[in-house]
Amino acid sequence: MFRTQEILDQGVAKVLKLRERLQNARLRDHSKVFNTARIEAFETENLMEVALATVVSAAARHESRGAHSRVDYPERDDLQWLKHTLYSRDAHRLDYKPVRMKPLTVDSFPPKKRVY
C-alpha cells in the first residue's frame, strides 16, 4: 500500500464518519446468555477504535518504514521517527516514547533499511 498525506487525511475522515455511524447501531437481542450479536458489537466497537488509532498515527508519521510506505516521504527517518507512537482517544492525541536500543536480556539488532 502506497500512501500520501492527502489519502491518509481522507482515511481519517472516512473512519471518523464510520465511527459516527456506529453510534447509531442498536442491538435487538438484549439477552445475556449466548448472545453472539452482543459479542460482535463489542468486537466492532473495538476494531473501530483500533482502525482510528492506526490511521491517525499513520497520517502523523512522515516517513516510510516497513509496511508503512509513503510516496511523499520515501525514506526512513530514524532521527525523527525511531520512536513508538502512543494514541489517546481524547481528541485523537498522539504521544511518543523512545525505542530502547539497549536490550535488557539479549543482543539488539541495529535498525536498517528494508530492501527487497
Side-chain angles (χ1 to χ4, degrees):
M1 178 172 274
F2 297 96
R3 304 170 177 105
T4 63
Q5 191 65 48
E6 179 185 356
I7 289 171
L8 288 167
D9 291 342
Q10 288 174 8
V12 170
K14 287 180 180 182
V15 172
L16 284 170
K17 270 187 188 177
L18 287 171
R19 191 173 101 179
E20 233 176 77
R21 287 180 55 197
L22 186 60
Q23 298 302 314
N24 297 323
R26 299 288 177 255
L27 288 175
R28 291 190 180 126
D29 181 3
H30 295 285
S31 65
K32 293 184 177 157
V33 179
F34 299 111
N35 189 340
T36 56
R38 175 177 262 192
I39 293 168
E40 289 168 0
F42 285 139
E43 288 175 348
T44 303
E45 287 176 350
N46 290 335
L47 287 171
M48 186 60 65
E49 290 302 322
V50 170
L52 190 55
T54 302
V55 73
V56 168
S57 299
R61 189 170 277 269
H62 298 157
E63 68 157 357
S64 288
R65 179 180 299 271
H68 178 69
S69 181
R70 292 198 46 171
V71 176
D72 46 356
Y73 297 96
E75 297 297 319
R76 278 175 68 122
D77 183 1
D78 285 343
L79 291 175
Q80 296 293 319
W81 291 104
L82 189 59
K83 54 189 172 184
H84 298 288
T85 304
L86 305 170
Y87 173 79
S88 175
R89 289 174 28 180
D90 310 328
H92 315 300
R93 197 182 77 235
L94 295 176
D95 198 6
Y96 301 94
K97 76 175 198 173
V99 173
R100 243 189 232 169
M101 296 306 288
K102 185 175 180 189
L104 300 176
T105 57
V106 295
D107 292 337
S108 69
F109 294 96
K112 64 181 182 177
K113 184 175 182 175
R114 200 178 277 192
V115 292
Y116 300 97

